[in-house]
Amino acid sequence: MPLKIKFVKEDGKWKLLSIQKTSSGVVADTTPAAVPADAELITMSNNSVLMLGRAINAGDFGSFYSSIAKTWQNQTTADALKGAFKSFMDQKIDLTAIDGKSPEFSEKASIDEKRQADSQRLLYGAAGQGPFHS
């Protein structure tokens, strides 16, 4: 299942901003120099999806909510996240199956310079069907 994962840089660290289920994406031709290295992108994506998977499996989004960017926390609650991923819980989709695998990115990661606020940079990228497909 394709997932679009967004990160924001807060206090010098990349933090998860959002995860969205998407349709297949288009690969961008260029990547700005400020984008983290591929190894870091893989680690960030896997860690984020694993945290989400654990929350779905446990039916408890408290720890996941605590780990996401303040920007996203200001837009949602742990209960709202649980509601948003209810269909995943109902279908028993286990995103933790990606543990130890590398995502297949359908888009190159990029920085959205236009949406910067207070030195926060949004990092966009989409993980393709590969290991995230259940």
Side-chain angles (χ1 to χ4, degrees), residues 1 9 11 19 22 31 33 36-37 59 63 71 80 84 98 100 109-110 116 120 129:
M1 123 186 27
K9 197 163 197 173
D11 302 323
I19 296 177
T22 64
T31 303
S63 292
T71 304
I98 65 109
S110 62
Q116 285 192 81
Q120 296 176 347
Q129 302 223 14

Side-chain angles (χ1 to χ4, degrees), residues 63-81:
S63 292
F64 179 73
Y65 177 81
S66 295
S67 72
I68 64 176
K70 291 176 186 128
T71 304
W72 194 9
Q73 287 177 353
N74 291 336
Q75 298 169 355
T76 192
T77 65
D79 286 337
L81 289 168

Side-chain angles (χ1 to χ4, degrees), residues 63-116:
S63 292
F64 179 73
Y65 177 81
S66 295
S67 72
I68 64 176
K70 291 176 186 128
T71 304
W72 194 9
Q73 287 177 353
N74 291 336
Q75 298 169 355
T76 192
T77 65
D79 286 337
L81 289 168
K82 185 176 181 176
F85 290 98
K86 183 180 183 319
S87 65
F88 284 55
M89 291 184 288
D90 292 346
Q91 296 173 49
K92 301 200 183 313
I93 294 174
D94 186 5
L95 296 178
T96 63
I98 65 109
D99 197 11
K101 298 178 184 171
S102 292
E104 296 174 12
F105 295 108
S106 60
E107 294 178 24
K108 287 192 178 239
S110 62
I111 300 289
D112 184 349
E113 300 289 346
K114 295 177 195 168
R115 293 191 56 191
Q116 285 192 81

